[in-house]
Protein backbone atom coordinates (compact mmCIF):
# COMPACT_ATOMS: atom_id res chain seq x y z
CA UNK A 1 0.00 0.00 0.00
CA UNK A 2 2.86 2.38 0.82
CA UNK A 3 4.38 1.73 -2.59
CA UNK A 4 1.03 2.39 -4.29
CA UNK A 5 0.56 5.62 -2.34
CA UNK A 6 4.09 6.72 -3.17
CA UNK A 7 3.51 6.03 -6.85
CA UNK A 8 0.27 7.98 -6.64
CA UNK A 9 2.05 10.97 -5.12
CA UNK A 10 4.74 10.82 -7.81
CA UNK A 11 2.10 10.59 -10.53
CA UNK A 12 0.17 13.53 -9.09
CA UNK A 13 3.34 15.60 -8.77
CA UNK A 14 4.25 14.78 -12.38
CA UNK A 15 0.82 15.82 -13.66
CA UNK A 16 0.95 19.09 -11.70
CA UNK A 17 4.49 19.81 -12.93
CA UNK A 18 3.52 19.17 -16.56
CA UNK A 19 0.42 21.32 -16.20
CA UNK A 20 2.47 24.12 -14.65
CA UNK A 21 5.06 23.87 -17.42
CA UNK A 22 2.40 23.98 -20.14
CA UNK A 23 0.77 26.92 -18.38
CA UNK A 24 4.03 28.86 -18.31
CA UNK A 25 4.72 28.01 -21.93
CA UNK A 26 1.20 29.14 -22.86
CA UNK A 27 1.68 32.47 -21.09
CA UNK A 28 5.02 32.91 -22.85
CA UNK A 29 3.43 31.94 -26.17
CA UNK A 30 0.80 34.68 -25.81
CA UNK A 31 3.21 37.42 -24.70
CA UNK A 32 3.64 40.32 -27.11
CA UNK A 33 7.12 40.47 -28.63
CA UNK A 34 8.76 43.45 -30.30
CA UNK A 35 11.57 42.57 -32.67
CA UNK A 36 14.94 44.31 -32.12
CA UNK A 37 15.06 47.93 -33.25
CA UNK A 38 16.85 48.40 -36.60
CA UNK A 39 20.19 50.10 -36.05
CA UNK A 40 20.39 52.15 -39.26
CA UNK A 41 19.14 55.67 -39.93
CA UNK A 42 16.38 54.81 -42.43
CA UNK A 43 12.78 53.89 -41.69
CA UNK A 44 11.88 50.53 -43.23
CA UNK A 45 9.12 49.69 -45.71
CA UNK A 46 7.92 46.27 -46.82
CA UNK A 47 5.95 45.10 -49.83
CA UNK A 48 5.39 41.85 -51.70
CA UNK A 49 5.28 40.65 -55.29
CA UNK A 50 4.27 37.48 -57.10
CA UNK A 51 6.64 36.67 -59.94
CA UNK A 52 5.68 34.08 -62.55
CA UNK A 53 8.18 32.67 -65.01
CA UNK A 54 6.77 32.30 -68.50
CA UNK A 55 9.95 30.64 -69.78
CA UNK A 56 11.19 28.16 -67.15
CA UNK A 57 9.34 25.37 -65.36
CA UNK A 58 9.73 24.51 -61.69
CA UNK A 59 12.15 21.56 -61.54
CA UNK A 60 10.93 20.51 -58.08
CA UNK A 61 7.18 20.67 -58.66
CA UNK A 62 5.40 17.29 -58.25
CA UNK A 63 3.54 17.79 -61.53
CA UNK A 64 5.72 18.10 -64.67
CA UNK A 65 5.11 21.26 -66.64
CA UNK A 66 4.39 23.43 -63.58
CA UNK A 67 5.30 27.07 -64.06
CA UNK A 68 7.91 28.53 -61.71
CA UNK A 69 6.51 31.10 -59.27
CA UNK A 70 8.06 33.09 -56.45
CA UNK A 71 6.45 35.07 -53.63
CA UNK A 72 8.90 37.91 -53.02
CA UNK A 73 9.21 39.95 -49.82
CA UNK A 74 10.97 43.30 -50.21
CA UNK A 75 12.28 45.45 -47.34
CA UNK A 76 13.66 48.88 -48.27
CA UNK A 77 14.64 52.35 -46.99
CA UNK A 78 11.39 54.23 -46.59
CA UNK A 79 9.87 57.60 -45.89
CA UNK A 80 9.20 57.80 -42.11
CA UNK A 81 5.80 56.49 -41.09
CA UNK A 82 2.81 58.77 -41.29
CA UNK A 83 -0.19 58.44 -38.91
CA UNK A 84 -2.33 56.97 -41.68
CA UNK A 85 0.18 54.22 -42.47
CA UNK A 86 0.19 50.70 -41.05
CA UNK A 87 3.06 48.78 -39.52
CA UNK A 88 2.99 45.45 -41.32
CA UNK A 89 2.18 42.15 -39.64
CA UNK A 90 5.15 39.93 -38.93
CA UNK A 91 3.36 37.26 -40.96
CA UNK A 92 0.01 38.02 -42.65
CA UNK A 93 -3.06 36.29 -41.19
CA UNK A 94 -3.60 33.87 -44.14
CA UNK A 95 0.00 32.69 -43.75
CA UNK A 96 -0.43 32.21 -40.00
CA UNK A 97 -3.53 30.11 -40.59
CA UNK A 98 -1.80 27.97 -43.20
CA UNK A 99 1.23 27.54 -40.94
CA UNK A 100 -0.91 26.41 -38.01
CA UNK A 101 -2.65 23.83 -40.18
CA UNK A 102 0.70 22.36 -41.18
CA UNK A 103 2.21 22.26 -37.69
CA UNK A 104 1.42 20.19 -34.59
CA UNK A 105 -0.65 21.93 -31.90
CA UNK A 106 2.07 21.45 -29.27
CA UNK A 107 4.51 23.36 -31.49
CA UNK A 108 2.19 26.18 -32.51
CA UNK A 109 0.45 26.68 -29.16
CA UNK A 110 3.22 26.12 -26.64
CA UNK A 111 6.75 25.94 -28.06
CA UNK A 112 6.73 29.00 -30.33
CA UNK A 113 5.67 32.61 -30.15
CA UNK A 114 2.13 33.61 -31.17
CA UNK A 115 3.07 35.26 -34.47
CA UNK A 116 0.03 37.55 -34.35
CA UNK A 117 1.68 39.16 -31.30
CA UNK A 118 5.08 39.72 -32.87
CA UNK A 119 5.63 43.39 -33.75
CA UNK A 120 7.88 44.60 -36.56
CA UNK A 121 9.10 48.01 -37.74
CA UNK A 122 8.16 47.58 -41.40
CA UNK A 123 5.71 50.12 -42.85
CA UNK A 124 3.34 48.45 -45.28
CA UNK A 125 3.82 49.63 -48.89
CA UNK A 126 5.63 52.82 -47.84
CA UNK A 127 7.26 55.13 -50.35
CA UNK A 128 10.98 54.68 -50.95
CA UNK A 129 13.13 57.20 -49.08
CA UNK A 130 14.20 60.14 -51.29
CA UNK A 131 17.50 60.53 -49.38
CA UNK A 132 19.34 58.64 -52.16
CA UNK A 133 18.53 58.35 -55.83
CA UNK A 134 19.02 54.56 -55.72
CA UNK A 135 19.97 51.83 -53.27
CA UNK A 136 22.10 48.68 -53.49
CA UNK A 137 20.15 45.41 -53.63
CA UNK A 138 20.78 42.38 -51.41
CA UNK A 139 19.15 39.01 -52.04
CA UNK A 140 18.40 37.03 -48.88
CA UNK A 141 17.76 33.28 -48.68
CA UNK A 142 16.29 31.44 -45.69
CA UNK A 143 17.54 28.11 -44.37
CA UNK A 144 16.19 24.93 -46.01
CA UNK A 145 12.36 25.24 -46.08
CA UNK A 146 12.13 28.14 -43.59
CA UNK A 147 10.01 31.14 -44.52
CA UNK A 148 11.66 34.37 -45.62
CA UNK A 149 9.89 36.24 -42.83
CA UNK A 150 11.74 34.08 -40.28
CA UNK A 151 14.66 36.46 -40.94
CA UNK A 152 12.73 39.72 -40.56
CA UNK A 153 15.16 41.08 -37.94
CA UNK A 154 18.17 40.78 -40.27
CA UNK A 155 16.17 42.12 -43.25
CA UNK A 156 14.83 45.15 -41.37
CA UNK A 157 18.23 46.01 -39.95
CA UNK A 158 19.95 45.81 -43.33
CA UNK A 159 17.21 47.88 -45.02
CA UNK A 160 17.61 50.53 -42.30
CA UNK A 161 21.25 50.88 -43.41
CA UNK A 162 20.21 51.78 -46.96
CA UNK A 163 19.71 48.49 -48.80
CA UNK A 164 16.78 47.00 -50.70
CA UNK A 165 16.55 43.49 -49.27
CA UNK A 166 14.72 40.88 -51.34
CA UNK A 167 13.81 37.42 -50.07
CA UNK A 168 11.42 34.94 -51.61
CA UNK A 169 9.51 31.75 -50.95
CA UNK A 170 8.82 29.11 -53.58
CA UNK A 171 5.98 26.57 -53.84
CA UNK A 172 6.79 22.91 -53.16
CA UNK A 173 10.07 23.65 -51.32
CA UNK A 174 9.26 26.42 -48.84
CA UNK A 175 7.37 25.02 -45.85
CA UNK A 176 4.23 26.79 -47.06
CA UNK A 177 3.43 29.56 -49.56
CA UNK A 178 0.20 31.55 -49.55
CA UNK A 179 -0.54 33.50 -52.71
CA UNK A 180 -2.80 36.60 -52.85
CA UNK A 181 -5.33 34.65 -54.93
CA UNK A 182 -5.85 32.26 -52.00
CA UNK A 183 -3.74 29.32 -53.17
CA UNK A 184 -1.87 27.55 -50.36
CA UNK A 185 1.01 25.34 -51.52
CA UNK A 186 3.02 23.32 -49.03
CA UNK A 187 6.40 21.65 -49.35
CA UNK A 188 6.24 18.42 -51.35
CA UNK A 189 7.38 15.37 -49.32
CA UNK A 190 9.97 14.48 -51.93
CA UNK A 191 11.60 17.89 -51.31
CA UNK A 192 11.89 17.39 -47.54
CA UNK A 193 15.56 16.71 -46.81
CA UNK A 194 14.74 16.06 -43.14
CA UNK A 195 13.10 12.78 -44.17
CA UNK A 196 16.35 11.48 -45.65
CA UNK A 197 19.87 10.72 -44.51
CA UNK A 198 23.33 10.06 -45.88
CA UNK A 199 23.88 10.17 -49.63
CA UNK A 200 20.16 10.56 -50.42
CA UNK A 201 19.93 13.67 -48.24
CA UNK A 202 23.01 15.21 -49.83
CA UNK A 203 21.67 14.47 -53.32
CA UNK A 204 18.38 16.23 -52.51
CA UNK A 205 20.22 19.14 -50.87
CA UNK A 206 22.14 19.65 -54.09
CA UNK A 207 18.91 19.63 -56.12
CA UNK A 208 17.41 22.21 -53.77
CA UNK A 209 20.58 24.28 -53.97
CA UNK A 210 20.47 24.41 -57.77
CA UNK A 211 16.77 25.33 -57.78
CA UNK A 212 17.20 28.11 -55.23
CA UNK A 213 20.27 29.48 -57.03
CA UNK A 214 18.32 29.58 -60.30
CA UNK A 215 15.47 31.30 -58.44
CA UNK A 216 17.91 34.00 -57.32
CA UNK A 217 18.83 34.66 -60.94
CA UNK A 218 15.16 34.84 -61.88
CA UNK A 219 14.50 37.23 -58.96
CA UNK A 220 17.26 39.52 -60.22
CA UNK A 221 15.72 39.45 -63.70
CA UNK A 222 12.41 40.54 -62.19
CA UNK A 223 14.10 43.31 -60.22
CA UNK A 224 15.67 44.60 -63.43
CA UNK A 225 12.22 44.74 -65.01
CA UNK A 226 10.82 46.45 -61.91
CA UNK A 227 13.61 49.01 -61.99
CA UNK A 228 12.84 49.78 -65.63
CA UNK A 229 9.03 49.79 -65.51
CA UNK A 230 7.48 49.48 -62.06
CA UNK A 231 3.71 50.08 -62.58
CA UNK A 232 3.42 51.54 -59.07
CA UNK A 233 6.43 53.78 -59.64
CA UNK A 234 7.82 52.80 -56.22
CA UNK A 235 11.06 51.22 -57.43
CA UNK A 236 11.31 52.87 -60.84
CA UNK A 237 15.01 53.70 -61.24
CA UNK A 238 15.59 53.22 -57.51
CA UNK A 239 17.42 49.87 -57.59
CA UNK A 240 21.19 49.98 -58.03
CA UNK A 241 21.66 46.64 -59.74
CA UNK A 242 25.36 47.27 -60.31
CA UNK A 243 25.77 46.73 -56.55
CA UNK A 244 24.13 43.41 -55.73
CA UNK A 245 24.91 41.40 -52.60
CA UNK A 246 23.67 37.99 -51.55
CA UNK A 247 23.45 36.31 -48.16
CA UNK A 248 21.68 33.38 -46.57
CA UNK A 249 21.61 31.08 -43.58
CA UNK A 250 22.30 27.34 -43.54
CA UNK A 251 21.22 25.93 -46.94
CA UNK A 252 20.47 29.55 -47.82
CA UNK A 253 24.10 30.41 -47.10
CA UNK A 254 25.25 27.56 -49.32
CA UNK A 255 22.88 28.89 -52.00
CA UNK A 256 24.36 32.39 -51.71
CA UNK A 257 27.80 30.89 -52.21
CA UNK A 258 26.74 28.85 -55.24
CA UNK A 259 24.87 31.80 -56.76
CA UNK A 260 27.97 33.99 -56.57
CA UNK A 261 29.77 31.21 -58.45
CA UNK A 262 26.96 30.98 -61.02
CA UNK A 263 26.09 34.63 -61.65
CA UNK A 264 28.54 37.50 -62.12
CA UNK A 265 25.84 39.98 -61.09
CA UNK A 266 26.67 39.00 -57.50
CA UNK A 267 29.28 41.51 -56.30
CA UNK A 268 29.66 40.28 -52.70
CA UNK A 269 28.25 37.40 -50.66
CA UNK A 270 27.87 36.02 -47.15
CA UNK A 271 27.32 32.44 -46.03
CA UNK A 272 25.86 32.36 -42.52
CA UNK A 273 26.75 28.94 -41.11
CA UNK A 274 25.94 26.99 -44.26
CA UNK A 275 27.82 23.91 -45.46
CA UNK A 276 29.06 24.48 -49.05
CA UNK A 277 27.53 22.31 -51.77
CA UNK A 278 27.61 22.19 -55.54
CA UNK A 279 30.27 23.11 -58.08
CA UNK A 280 31.49 26.06 -56.03
CA UNK A 281 33.33 23.61 -53.75
CA UNK A 282 35.68 22.65 -56.57
CA UNK A 283 35.74 25.98 -58.42
CA UNK A 284 35.57 28.58 -55.64
CA UNK A 285 34.35 32.16 -56.08
CA UNK A 286 36.00 35.40 -57.13
CA UNK A 287 33.72 37.94 -55.43
CA UNK A 288 34.44 39.26 -51.92
CA UNK A 289 32.95 36.70 -49.56
CA UNK A 290 32.39 36.26 -45.82
CA UNK A 291 31.80 33.06 -43.87
CA UNK A 292 30.02 33.80 -40.60
CA UNK A 293 30.07 30.69 -38.42
CA UNK A 294 28.45 29.38 -35.25
CA UNK A 295 30.57 28.09 -32.39
CA UNK A 296 31.88 24.53 -32.59
CA UNK A 297 35.16 25.47 -30.94
CA UNK A 298 34.48 23.51 -27.76
CA UNK A 299 34.37 20.27 -29.71
CA UNK A 300 37.53 18.40 -30.61
CA UNK A 301 37.94 17.26 -34.20
CA UNK A 302 37.26 13.72 -33.03
CA UNK A 303 34.11 14.84 -31.22
CA UNK A 304 32.64 16.73 -34.16
CA UNK A 305 30.18 15.01 -36.47
CA UNK A 306 31.70 14.04 -39.81
CA UNK A 307 29.34 16.47 -41.60
CA UNK A 308 30.73 19.42 -39.62
CA UNK A 309 34.36 18.43 -40.28
CA UNK A 310 33.59 17.99 -43.99
CA UNK A 311 31.83 21.38 -44.17
CA UNK A 312 34.72 23.06 -42.39
CA UNK A 313 37.23 21.60 -44.85
CA UNK A 314 35.18 22.83 -47.82
CA UNK A 315 34.82 26.31 -46.33
CA UNK A 316 38.57 26.59 -45.77
CA UNK A 317 39.27 25.33 -49.29
CA UNK A 318 37.10 28.06 -50.82
CA UNK A 319 38.33 30.73 -48.40
CA UNK A 320 42.02 29.95 -48.95
CA UNK A 321 41.68 30.55 -52.70
CA UNK A 322 40.33 34.09 -52.23
CA UNK A 323 42.70 37.08 -52.11
CA UNK A 324 43.28 38.31 -48.55
CA UNK A 325 41.57 41.63 -49.28
CA UNK A 326 38.40 39.94 -50.56
CA UNK A 327 37.61 37.49 -47.78
CA UNK A 328 36.58 37.27 -44.15
CA UNK A 329 35.86 34.34 -41.87
CA UNK A 330 34.56 34.94 -38.37
CA UNK A 331 32.98 32.86 -35.63
CA UNK A 332 30.61 34.25 -33.00
CA UNK A 333 31.51 32.58 -29.71
CA UNK A 334 28.67 30.84 -27.89
CA UNK A 335 26.31 30.82 -30.86
CA UNK A 336 23.89 28.16 -32.03
CA UNK A 337 23.18 27.31 -35.66
CA UNK A 338 19.43 27.70 -35.12
CA UNK A 339 19.52 31.17 -33.53
CA UNK A 340 20.58 33.23 -36.55
CA UNK A 341 16.92 33.61 -37.54
CA UNK A 342 14.20 35.38 -35.55
CA UNK A 343 14.25 32.40 -33.19
CA UNK A 344 17.09 34.20 -31.46
CA UNK A 345 15.22 37.51 -31.41
CA UNK A 346 12.02 36.02 -29.97
CA UNK A 347 13.44 33.85 -27.21
CA UNK A 348 13.32 36.12 -24.18
CA UNK A 349 11.47 33.87 -21.72
CA UNK A 350 13.71 33.10 -18.72
CA UNK A 351 12.06 29.68 -18.46
CA UNK A 352 12.73 28.70 -22.07
CA UNK A 353 16.22 30.21 -22.10
CA UNK A 354 17.18 28.39 -18.90
CA UNK A 355 16.04 25.10 -20.38
CA UNK A 356 17.92 25.68 -23.63
CA UNK A 357 21.09 26.62 -21.75
CA UNK A 358 20.77 23.52 -19.58
CA UNK A 359 20.78 21.21 -22.60
CA UNK A 360 23.51 23.22 -24.33
CA UNK A 361 21.42 24.53 -27.24
CA UNK A 362 21.97 28.18 -26.28
CA UNK A 363 25.02 29.78 -24.69
CA UNK A 364 24.96 33.33 -26.03
CA UNK A 365 21.75 35.32 -25.58
CA UNK A 366 19.64 34.94 -28.73
CA UNK A 367 19.09 38.66 -29.25
CA UNK A 368 22.78 39.30 -28.86
CA UNK A 369 23.57 36.65 -31.48
CA UNK A 370 21.19 38.28 -33.97
CA UNK A 371 22.52 41.77 -33.17
CA UNK A 372 26.15 40.77 -33.76
CA UNK A 373 25.17 38.97 -36.97
CA UNK A 374 23.22 41.98 -38.27
CA UNK A 375 26.16 44.30 -37.57
CA UNK A 376 28.65 42.21 -39.51
CA UNK A 377 26.27 41.64 -42.43
CA UNK A 378 25.62 45.36 -42.93
CA UNK A 379 29.29 46.26 -42.35
CA UNK A 380 30.55 43.68 -44.86
CA UNK A 381 28.19 44.98 -47.53
CA UNK A 382 29.07 48.58 -46.64
CA UNK A 383 32.71 47.76 -47.37
CA UNK A 384 32.25 45.79 -50.58
CA UNK A 385 29.13 47.41 -52.07
CA UNK A 386 29.44 51.00 -50.80
CA UNK A 387 33.21 51.41 -50.54
CA UNK A 388 33.44 51.89 -46.78
CA UNK A 389 36.93 51.43 -45.22
CA UNK A 390 37.86 47.77 -44.81
CA UNK A 391 39.13 48.62 -41.33
CA UNK A 392 35.49 48.62 -40.18
CA UNK A 393 35.60 44.83 -40.40
CA UNK A 394 38.53 44.64 -38.01
CA UNK A 395 38.45 43.76 -34.34
CA UNK A 396 36.08 45.97 -32.33
CA UNK A 397 35.89 46.05 -28.51
CA UNK A 398 32.09 46.29 -28.55
CA UNK A 399 31.95 42.83 -30.16
CA UNK A 400 34.13 40.63 -27.93
CA UNK A 401 32.23 37.52 -29.10
CA UNK A 402 33.89 37.70 -32.52
CA UNK A 403 36.81 35.44 -33.30
CA UNK A 404 38.65 35.97 -36.58
CA UNK A 405 39.69 32.79 -38.38
CA UNK A 406 42.60 32.77 -40.79
Amino acid sequence: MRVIKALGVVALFTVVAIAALLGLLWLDHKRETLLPTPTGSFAVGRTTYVWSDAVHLDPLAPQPGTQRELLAWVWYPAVPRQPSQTVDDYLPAPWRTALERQTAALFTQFLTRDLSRVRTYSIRDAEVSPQQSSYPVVLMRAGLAALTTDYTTLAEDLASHGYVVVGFDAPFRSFVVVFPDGRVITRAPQNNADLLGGAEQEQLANKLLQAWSADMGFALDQLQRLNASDPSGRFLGRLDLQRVGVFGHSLGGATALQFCHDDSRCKAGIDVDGAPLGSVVADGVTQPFMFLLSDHKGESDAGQPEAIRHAGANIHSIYDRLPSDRRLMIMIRGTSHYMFSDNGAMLKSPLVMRGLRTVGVVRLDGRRQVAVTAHYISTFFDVYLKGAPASQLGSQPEYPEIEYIH
Side-chain angles (χ1 to χ4, degrees):
M1 290 297 292
R2 289 180 179 176
V3 172
I4 293 174
K5 287 181 178 180
L7 290 174
V9 170
V10 170
L12 179 61
F13 177 80
T14 302
V15 170
V16 171
I18 291 173
L21 176 62
L22 290 176
L24 289 170
L25 289 173
W26 172 254
L27 290 174
D28 190 58
H29 167 76
K30 300 301 290 185
R31 181 169 49 82
E32 185 168 295
T33 301
L34 181 64
L35 292 182
T37 306
T39 58
S41 60
F42 289 96
V44 178
R46 190 180 82 177
T47 193
T48 59
Y49 292 92
V50 175
W51 291 330
S52 299
D53 191 342
V55 177
H56 299 95
L57 302 178
D58 189 334
L60 294 177
Q63 298 296 327
T66 301
Q67 187 179 38
R68 173 165 57 181
E69 290 182 284
L70 299 181
L71 192 293
W73 307 82
V74 184
W75 291 264
Y76 52 92
V79 172
R81 183 188 171 206
Q82 304 300 311
S84 61
Q85 292 179 303
T86 303
V87 174
D88 220 348
D89 290 341
Y90 177 76
L91 189 65
W95 286 73
R96 297 197 303 268
T97 300
L99 194 61
E100 289 170 2
R101 288 174 178 168
Q102 296 299 316
T103 312
L106 177 65
F107 186 79
T108 56
Q109 300 300 321
F110 293 100
L111 300 182
T112 62
R113 192 67 72 228
D114 180 347
L115 297 183
S116 70
R117 294 175 177 266
V118 177
R119 306 296 176 229
T120 75
Y121 291 87
S122 300
I123 307 164
R124 185 182 303 165
D125 297 329
E127 293 301 314
V128 178
S129 171
Q131 290 187 40
Q132 295 177 198
S133 59
S134 63
Y135 297 91
V137 173
V138 174
L139 300 180
M140 179 180 75
R141 181 83 284 282
L144 198 58
L147 301 184
T148 296
T149 51
D150 290 342
Y151 297 82
T152 294
T153 301
L154 296 179
E156 287 189 334
D157 191 81
L158 188 54
S160 78
H161 284 270
Y163 293 88
V164 176
V165 183
V166 183
F168 48 86
D169 296 306
F172 313 114
R173 47 192 180 275
S174 291
F175 188 75
V176 65
V177 179
V178 181
F179 286 102
D181 61 10
R183 287 177 297 144
V184 176
I185 303 177
T186 59
R187 175 173 53 175
Q190 61 266 35
N191 294 332
N192 186 351
D194 293 329
L195 300 178
L196 303 172
E200 286 184 324
Q201 185 181 61
E202 185 172 351
Q203 183 180 14
L204 176 56
N206 273 289
K207 286 178 63 177
L208 291 166
L209 176 90
Q210 296 302 328
W212 284 122
S213 179
D215 289 342
M216 281 188 166
F218 173 62
L220 264 185
D221 294 341
Q222 297 306 301
L223 290 170
Q224 287 176 330
R225 292 187 178 94
L226 200 63
N227 198 42
S229 58
D230 182 0
S232 72
R234 180 179 291 113
F235 293 111
L236 187 63
R238 308 304 302 277
L239 306 177
D240 186 346
L241 294 168
Q242 300 305 308
R243 295 186 290 169
V244 174
V246 186
F247 82 97
H249 170 230
S250 196
L251 183 64
T255 302
L257 182 62
Q258 181 65 41
F259 178 74
C260 287
H261 166 277
D262 294 342
D263 198 316
S264 62
R265 290 177 293 180
C266 168
K267 303 305 180 186
I270 301 172
D271 178 349
V272 181
D273 216 36
L277 295 166
S279 56
V280 69
V281 175
D283 300 340
V285 291
T286 58
Q287 299 94 329
F289 209 90
M290 176 169 73
F291 294 95
L292 197 160
L293 308 176
S294 63
D295 188 355
H296 296 287
K297 191 177 180 184
E299 304 171 10
S300 66
D301 285 344
Q304 288 182 348
E306 175 59 30
I308 293 177
R309 295 199 299 272
H310 183 63
N314 286 339
I315 288 171
H316 277 281
S317 173
I318 296 166
Y319 176 82
D320 289 344
R321 282 174 277 169
L322 280 165
S324 59
D325 61 346
R326 295 167 69 84
R327 68 184 188 185
L328 183 66
M329 190 188 310
I330 58 176
M331 178 187 72
I332 309 178
R333 297 186 187 95
T335 50
S336 163
H337 176 77
Y338 298 99
M339 295 296 165
F340 286 106
S341 69
D342 292 336
N343 288 335
M346 292 184 192
L347 282 176
K348 295 196 301 181
S349 164
L351 174 69
V352 176
M353 290 301 295
R354 192 177 299 117
L356 291 174
R357 286 196 175 99
T358 299
V359 299
V361 173
V362 171
R363 284 172 285 167
L364 182 67
D365 175 78
R367 287 202 160 209
R368 179 61 178 173
Q369 175 169 335
V370 174
V372 175
T373 302
H375 170 77
Y376 276 86
I377 287 174
S378 63
T379 303
F380 185 84
F381 286 133
D382 282 351
V383 170
Y384 290 105
L385 296 182
K386 293 184 178 181
S391 58
Q392 292 186 7
L393 289 168
S395 179
Q396 300 176 43
E398 60 266 42
Y399 297 101
E401 303 92 343
I402 290 296
E403 178 172 324
Y404 291 82
I405 303 172
H406 302 287

